[in-house]
Amino acid sequence: MNKIKALYVNEMIKIFHRPAVIIVAAVALCISFLFPILLMIVEGPYDFYNEETNEREKIESSLKDYEKDLINAGFKTTKQDVTIEVDGQKKTIPMTLYIGNDIPNLLSNKIVYEDLLANYDFAKYPTRKTWLAHIALVRYNNFELKRINLEMTPFEERDAEWLKEYDRFTAARDVARKALFEHDYKYYIEAVKYLEQGDYGSDYTPEMIKRLADTDPNGELGVEDGYYILYYLSQLQETQSKLDAGLDAAGNLPRILTEEKKEILRNTIKILNYEIDNHNIYDEKSTVALTLVYLTGKISGYALLVLLILIAGSSVSQEMATGSIKSLIIAPVKRWKIFTAKLLSIVTCMVVASVVLTLCSIIGTGFACGFDKLPPYLYVSGGAVKAVPLFLGKIIFDLVNNIPTFFYAFVGFMISCYTKNTGVSVGTAIGLSLFHEVPSMLQSSDLPQRILDFTPLAGMDIASKLFPYYSLMVADEDFDMFSLSNSSFDNSLMFCTVYIIVICFTVLFIAFEQFSKKDIQ
């Protein structure tokens, strides 16, 4: 054991005396720490909804522009009494016809803005500060726009169906206006019922808005926070539907949920409810911070790949080139001990490099965005939602998520033992690592899911199985914090673990066999 320890220390010293290793490590550290800071300096923080501005002055300025644009568009109005037969009875109704180019949007904004300037209390309910005021204004304008679109219809084409639609959008506009001016969720819930499929926010059901109102009884919730909670509510609804149906939509065809996946869905529901009830945790800045962690991790991940393959791929070949390997071989030390020391030094570099780069990326992001904007990773234990600080959760996650990188470093080590050539071992290992994305690319094909599940390398990414709730950290359906390349493959955790152990053992066994041969000159 003492000999292995001495050899291990000697191997670590050799690694940190290689100029190429020091250069790549320094570049990786600089990227991890400085990239989020530099990106925030270049892009700069911008918060649209909390931008300091005088709303009344802004609306007054916009109103003048709309009035000028209406004149330029040739805006005209014509009034006429129109007779329409409704349910067998003729009704004569005074109506207005709007004429001009691109009138509806300009006119709806003009009408709404005039109403706001005349009657709205901007100081009490700023439309850029609270979600309810913001969305009610959007709905008010939207329904007014639909009414004006109908009033562009020629008089002779207006019939009972037209009148029904016009009355519907008039009622919708009025109730949306009440929601805005009275700042009351009750009226907004009623307005939601008038939304048509495809309208912005039409997926937000009255039940979802009611749940939102329960968490925000005074209508004080910020614009971004409101949208975050609604995202969580939509996720909650989707998860509950999947659990009720007992089917998972992964792959080309739905599959019956296993008990393990049902438990994950139940825990997901608990976490979503926790996030909804504690909506003050997440905001736009948290998403920006996590995005920076993600981007930094992706970029430094390539540097980590090169660094580890360089260390492992030159472990034997570099000593062959310098002749230092001979002093080890002729020493009274068994080769398996030399091999073990080299392997332990490589594994140490893997763990240390992964942890240090992760810490640097989080610290750099903390300086750029604020450490309080890094939300924890949530999970369920003993039926209760627990939280792990981001730095700890991300360190553990990256160690698991970097398993493919570690594997290709072992491949480089094996090739180094076989060829005794650094260039060949490093170049081949990096080239082979490019094939790691092949399984995820095949997912877009028409191959059956069960074939894809057994695609070579498909079982190497187990982070999504150990961290099934990672996507809940950010309320953004298009954002995948950790960018798991094979997260939708349906292999079990046990299968993936055995698969990784087998292929790593095979590669290291081949490396040991080649290293143990008495052919070193």
Side-chain angles (χ1 to χ4, degrees):
M1 182 61 68
N2 289 334
K3 288 184 178 181
I4 293 178
K5 181 179 179 181
L7 289 169
Y8 167 77
V9 172
N10 186 48
E11 288 296 327
M12 294 299 296
I13 293 173
K14 290 178 184 178
I15 289 173
F16 289 103
H17 274 81
R18 296 173 194 166
V21 171
I22 299 300
I23 292 172
V24 175
V27 170
L29 287 172
C30 289
I31 291 174
S32 296
F33 181 74
L34 296 177
F35 178 78
I37 297 175
L38 293 175
L39 191 62
M40 286 300 292
I41 291 174
V42 173
E43 294 293 331
Y46 179 66
D47 192 347
F48 173 80
Y49 295 111
N50 292 318
E51 178 187 12
E52 291 299 328
T53 182
N54 187 311
E55 281 192 274
R56 175 173 286 276
E57 290 181 1
K58 194 173 183 67
I59 288 177
E60 287 174 347
S61 176
S62 298
L63 182 58
K64 291 178 182 178
D65 292 336
Y66 290 134
E67 289 172 344
K68 292 177 183 178
D69 290 339
L70 282 170
I71 294 174
N72 295 332
F75 172 61
K76 295 180 180 178
T77 61
T78 300
K79 296 185 180 296
Q80 179 177 316
D81 291 340
V82 178
T83 301
I84 297 177
E85 185 174 331
V86 180
D87 296 331
Q89 296 183 350
K90 292 185 178 181
K91 293 184 178 181
T92 301
I93 307 169
M95 294 186 179
T96 302
L97 172 66
Y98 295 124
I99 302 170
N101 298 317
D102 301 323
I103 295 301
N105 188 58
L106 295 172
L107 185 56
S108 64
N109 279 302
K110 176 179 179 295
I111 292 172
V112 171
Y113 281 10
E114 285 177 340
D115 188 18
L116 288 173
L117 292 174
N119 304 296
Y120 192 69
D121 187 348
F122 291 98
K124 190 173 183 180
Y125 305 123
T127 59
R128 286 175 178 245
K129 297 293 184 180
T130 67
W131 182 86
L132 179 56
H134 163 74
I135 196 64
L137 175 57
V138 171
R139 293 285 163 258
Y140 179 20
N141 200 331
N142 177 256
F143 290 132
E144 185 64 48
L145 175 64
K146 291 178 181 293
R147 288 179 70 256
I148 293 171
N149 269 317
L150 287 171
E151 290 183 298
M152 299 287 291
T153 305
F155 289 127
E156 61 272 14
E157 296 180 12
R158 301 183 185 185
D159 54 16
E161 188 62 31
W162 179 94
L163 184 61
K164 180 180 178 182
E165 282 294 285
Y166 184 79
D167 289 342
R168 186 167 75 91
F169 287 128
T170 300
R173 177 205 62 182
D174 292 343
V175 75
R177 184 182 182 279
K178 277 188 175 182
L180 173 63
F181 281 76
E182 298 184 27
H183 205 67
D184 194 330
Y185 275 106
K186 175 181 65 178
Y187 296 113
Y188 184 73
I189 292 172
E190 190 175 342
V192 168
K193 299 175 183 178
Y194 289 98
L195 293 177
E196 298 176 312
Q197 188 174 6
D199 282 348
Y200 173 70
S202 58
D203 293 335
Y204 303 149
T205 64
E207 292 74 19
M208 293 168 64
I209 303 299
K210 178 64 168 60
R211 176 74 184 275
L212 175 64
D214 291 340
T215 69
D216 181 34
N218 298 320
E220 298 174 345
L221 194 65
V223 179
E224 294 162 352
D225 290 339
Y227 282 120
Y228 278 127
I229 291 180
L230 286 169
Y231 173 81
Y232 290 134
L233 285 168
S234 64
Q235 289 291 96
L236 181 62
Q237 188 177 60
E238 180 182 339
T239 305
Q240 188 64 58
S241 298
K242 189 183 292 186
L243 186 61
D244 292 341
L247 295 175
D248 186 6
N252 297 328
L253 294 172
R255 300 182 185 182
I256 296 175
L257 289 171
T258 63
E259 285 303 317
E260 179 183 359
K261 289 195 172 182
K262 286 181 179 179
E263 184 63 22
I264 289 175
L265 291 178
R266 294 187 192 100
N267 291 340
T268 297
I269 291 172
K270 291 180 181 178
I271 292 174
L272 287 169
N273 279 317
Y274 176 89
E275 289 174 327
I276 292 167
D277 294 336
N278 296 273
H279 53 75
N280 58 320
I281 295 177
Y282 303 97
D283 57 20
E284 185 69 19
K285 292 180 181 178
S286 293
T287 302
V288 172
L290 288 171
T291 303
L292 287 177
V293 172
Y294 157 75
L295 291 175
T296 305
K298 289 289 289 184
I299 295 173
S300 62
Y302 294 114
L304 177 67
L305 176 68
V306 174
L307 175 64
L308 296 182
I309 290 178
L310 180 62
I311 291 173
S314 63
S315 179
V316 175
S317 54
Q318 187 73 17
E319 292 195 54
M320 288 290 296
T322 60
S324 61
I325 190 76
K326 294 181 181 179
S327 62
L328 285 175
I329 298 303
I330 64 176
V333 180
K334 293 183 179 180
R335 290 216 185 171
W336 72 266
K337 292 185 178 181
I338 300 174
F339 180 86
T340 301
K342 287 184 176 294
L343 182 59
L344 288 175
S345 67
I346 293 170
V347 172
T348 300
C349 290
M350 289 177 176
V351 175
V352 172
S354 178
V355 171
V356 170
L357 290 181
T358 299
L359 282 175
C360 285
S361 67
I362 294 175
I363 293 172
T365 303
F367 280 119
C369 302
F371 289 94
D372 61 325
K373 296 303 177 184
L374 296 173
Y377 174 78
L378 301 178
Y379 67 101
V380 176
S381 177
V385 177
K386 304 291 180 65
V388 173
L390 180 68
F391 77 91
L392 179 59
K394 191 65 165 62
I395 285 173
I396 298 172
F397 180 91
D398 281 352
L399 286 171
V400 177
N401 200 40
N402 285 330
I403 284 176
T405 299
F406 300 159
F407 168 74
Y408 291 112
F410 288 148
V411 170
F413 179 53
M414 177 192 71
I415 298 173
S416 179
C417 292
Y418 189 86
T419 65
K420 316 298 189 298
N421 186 299
T422 300
V424 172
S425 58
V426 172
T428 303
I430 291 177
L432 288 173
S433 69
L434 299 177
F435 287 93
H436 185 71
E437 297 299 323
V438 170
S440 56
M441 289 189 291
L442 289 174
Q443 286 181 291
S444 60
S445 68
D446 294 328
L447 290 174
Q449 186 69 26
R450 291 312 299 172
I451 293 178
L452 293 175
D453 289 342
F454 287 89
T455 303
L457 306 180
M460 290 186 66
D461 293 322
I462 64 174
S464 63
K465 297 171 177 60
L466 291 175
F467 291 79
Y469 315 113
Y470 72 93
S471 62
L472 303 180
M473 296 179 70
V474 179
D476 187 345
E477 62 184 352
D478 297 322
F479 180 68
D480 183 349
M481 176 179 174
F482 302 115
S483 187
L484 299 174
S485 57
N486 294 311
S487 59
S488 63
F489 285 100
D490 202 34
N491 296 321
S492 67
L493 177 60
M494 180 60 69
F495 175 92
C496 293
T497 302
V498 173
Y499 178 84
I500 291 169
I501 292 173
V502 169
I503 60 175
C504 287
F505 176 81
T506 302
V507 167
L508 294 176
F509 180 78
I510 294 172
F512 176 72
E513 283 291 301
Q514 291 299 317
F515 185 80
S516 298
K517 287 183 177 179
K518 299 186 181 297
D519 58 356
I520 299 177
Q521 303 297 326

